[in-house]
Amino acid sequence: MKTSRIPGFYNMTVEERRALVAKMHTFSDEEMNDLFSTEPLPVETADKMIENVVGTFPLPLGLGLNFLINEKEYVVPMAIEEPSVVASASYIAKIVREAGGFTTEATDRVMIGQIQVVGCPDMEAAKEAVLKEKAALIEDANAAYPSLVARGGGAEDLEVRILNEEATSPYNQMLVLHIYVNTCDAMGANIINTMVESLAPVVEQLTKGKVYLRILSNYADRCLARARCVIPPELLADDEYTGEEVRDGVVHAYEFAASDPYRAVTHNKGIMNGIDPIVIATGNDWRAVEAGAHAYAARHGQYGSMTTWSVDEKGNLVGELELPMSVGTVGGAIRVHPMAKLAHKILDVTSAQELAQVIVSVGLAQNLGALKALVTVGIQKGHMALHSRSVAIAAGATGEMIDIIAEKLVDVKEIRVGKAKELVEEYIK
Ligand code: NDP
């Protein structure tokens, strides 16, 4: 039976881990070659993806373990350069699975396309004219992307807003159309851009104005995913801290982020530490997810915490994360990047909704990992121990020397490249 609980994975060699992953996911020889090739993204493919290509830029790919989400096991591919993120996500996922796992849900995948119209002689009349033709405009949008409609998606609704009704300059009064489109399993940016561009001429006729912008909104607040976990305090205890101490510290830390943007930004950066690596590994647009997530964190008028942490009537720690999650399991880079294809195979999700729910679970786990460390021993102990290996490499350590130098750096409590260089020289002598 497939499980994400793999004791001792951390201590295996890279080859042993690869062999295990291949066995679990029954990779073909060709897929194995892709996954473990020295050039996982061929430069010829890269040259077709963006412009002025001179090479590729690899990142470490790790696996987040122990994730149990809606009673399904997930091994989570995470592409990230920062140490301790994968370890922390896996550590918290293990605690949460002992508490029954994450529960998640997602809204329909409705993305928003915007059309900006300026210079309408009568804004109210223009708005009315558009609304009168709402059904026809939705039909026109769908005609621009019939394959999406055939899949059960497509444009579903349309709204019109007048921005800056009391215009203070000739530039700031405008009519803005929102087209709501169910993009099924695609992120949907290109689909929506095609739709809104196709509508522009008829919108100009109806409004007697001029259309400038026709583009997707990354504020995907109708494409939400939510994750929740409920953890009895005893699962949070360690040798030095009681579960209640940790639980209360986490809630205090959350209240700090909820009340202070200076803290909220760092709190949320920690959440994105979990979210971005899986968004990247699955070939999705992490700038889009980042932009939407931070905007959503400011939806109440002040930038605040993306998560909430509270204590329920039984004394359990309750964590929740709800975010816009404009990701896909098809389209964009997913269809060309061999590693993204493999990441989807490892993750084994069957829809964009399911992917979105895994992503917010990882974000919630990552947040708790950071908060648990911060309210107890502090973040540096674990972080710097892992960081020491990068420092050793930067100082010239190779092969087995890397771990030896890294351990010495931790022992002498000086995790600096200068100190590592001294140790490397001593070792070589
Ligand atoms: P694509 O243009 O690749 O469109 C997705 C394609 O997947 C569709 O054309 C559809 O083709 C096909 N498809 C197959 N199966 C399904 C399914 N089950 N559900 C939906 N579609 C399916 O990608 P997107 O439109 O998703 O756009 C994403 C890309 O756009 C990303 O690379 C992003 O970086 C980029 N982008 C982002 C912007 C932003 O965020 N502001 C702006 C512009 C671009 P068919 O139905 O014909 O088979």
Side-chain angles (χ1 to χ4, degrees):
M1 195 185 76
K2 198 182 116 188
T3 175
S4 64
R5 178 87 194 95
I6 312 175
F9 196 71
Y10 181 80
N11 288 321
M12 290 179 189
T13 62
V14 172
E15 281 67 31
E16 286 168 341
R17 290 183 202 134
R18 288 173 169 181
L20 192 68
V21 170
K23 203 168 139 204
M24 274 172 69
H25 298 275
T26 55
F27 285 145
S28 67
D29 287 349
E30 197 189 328
E31 286 170 326
M32 285 288 285
N33 283 342
D34 277 346
L35 183 53
F36 308 136
S37 133
T38 48
E39 198 196 25
L41 175 62
V43 79
E44 300 76 29
T45 308
D47 194 32
K48 301 285 176 281
M49 290 173 75
I50 65 159
E51 311 74 40
N52 298 353
V53 165
V54 291
T56 57
F57 189 94
L59 282 173
L61 179 74
L63 297 181
L65 300 180
N66 306 323
F67 279 90
L68 183 68
I69 303 169
N70 297 340
E71 299 184 4
K72 180 173 167 183
E73 301 276 353
Y74 292 93
V75 172
V76 181
M78 301 175 79
I80 183 165
E81 85 297 348
E82 187 174 339
S84 82
V85 167
V86 177
S88 173
S90 305
Y91 168 61
I92 296 298
K94 185 163 169 262
I95 293 177
V96 174
R97 79 182 280 130
E98 283 171 40
F102 294 91
T103 50
T104 62
E105 56 187 12
T107 61
D108 281 345
R109 300 195 35 77
V110 176
M111 299 285 288
I112 304 167
Q114 294 192 296
I115 301 178
Q116 177 201 34
V117 196
V118 302
C120 305
D122 181 338
M123 282 289 171
E124 288 296 343
K127 181 176 173 178
E128 260 179 52
V130 171
L131 288 175
K132 210 166 145 224
E133 292 303 315
K134 180 171 158 172
L137 287 165
I138 290 172
E139 209 172 296
D140 288 352
N142 283 328
Y145 227 102
S147 59
L148 189 65
V149 181
R151 292 180 195 286
E156 293 178 344
D157 200 3
L158 183 153
E159 282 176 3
V160 186
R161 292 183 299 149
I162 299 171
L163 298 191
N164 308 316
E165 207 150 5
E166 302 302 321
T168 52
S169 99
Y171 288 109
N172 70 0
Q173 193 183 53
M174 64 195 77
L175 198 73
V176 177
L177 278 68
H178 277 194
I179 322 282
Y180 299 101
V181 183
N182 183 332
T183 59
C184 297
D185 291 316
M187 182 267 197
N190 292 322
I191 294 174
I192 286 186
N193 295 345
T194 304
M195 285 184 168
V196 288
E197 286 191 10
S198 77
L199 294 184
V202 61
V203 169
E204 285 190 337
Q205 277 173 16
L206 290 169
T207 58
K208 302 186 174 57
K210 177 169 174 51
V211 167
Y212 274 108
L213 272 59
R214 300 139 289 162
I215 177 107
L216 161 99
S217 167
N218 285 111
Y219 191 39
D221 64 352
R222 296 194 180 195
C223 182
L224 301 171
R226 301 182 194 99
R228 185 170 199 268
C229 60
V230 180
I231 308 172
E234 56 273 19
L235 294 179
L236 296 166
D238 62 25
D239 295 345
E240 290 175 62
Y241 298 87
T242 67
E244 285 74 13
E245 270 180 298
V246 177
R247 176 199 67 193
D248 292 348
V250 168
V251 179
H252 280 298
Y254 152 67
E255 292 293 350
F256 183 5
S259 317
D260 175 22
Y262 286 92
R263 174 59 208 148
V265 172
T266 320
H267 178 97
N268 292 340
K269 188 273 180 185
I271 295 168
M272 302 315 285
N273 269 350
I275 288 179
D276 285 342
I278 162 169
V279 174
I280 293 170
T282 55
N284 276 290
D285 184 337
W286 74 94
R287 289 84 55 205
V289 171
E290 281 272 351
H294 290 288
Y296 200 64
R299 68 191 180 284
H300 300 304
Q302 176 180 305
Y303 185 83
S305 169
M306 291 174 183
T307 50
T308 60
W309 292 98
S310 59
V311 180
D312 71 10
E313 67 288 350
K314 291 184 182 147
N316 298 316
L317 178 66
V318 180
E320 287 174 310
L321 174 61
E322 176 183 272
L323 285 178
M325 203 39 71
S326 56
V327 289
T329 51
V330 293
I334 302 160
R335 64 178 148 212
V336 286
H337 199 305
M339 294 302 285
K341 288 186 206 166
L342 283 167
H344 281 271
K345 187 156 183 183
I346 292 173
L347 197 53
D348 187 26
V349 291
T350 54
S351 68
Q353 268 181 329
E354 188 182 351
L355 173 60
Q357 291 171 72
V358 175
I359 294 173
V360 284
S361 302
V362 180
L364 187 58
Q366 204 69 47
N367 185 223
L368 182 56
L371 297 185
K372 185 173 184 294
L374 282 168
V375 303
T376 56
V377 288
I379 209 151
Q380 286 306 77
K381 191 175 170 210
H383 199 79
M384 291 310 276
L386 291 168
H387 178 58
S388 63
R389 292 190 296 201
S390 302
V391 172
I393 294 168
T398 51
E400 63 182 16
M401 209 200 305
I402 297 170
D403 281 339
I404 294 168
I405 301 297
E407 270 171 36
K408 284 194 173 162
L409 289 170
V410 174
D411 285 347
V412 298
K413 296 192 175 63
E414 271 191 77
I415 301 171
R416 298 181 296 102
V417 176
K419 184 66 189 173
K421 279 188 176 156
E422 276 174 34
L423 293 171
V424 168
E425 276 168 29
E426 267 174 39
Y427 183 89
I428 291 168
K429 271 187 215 155

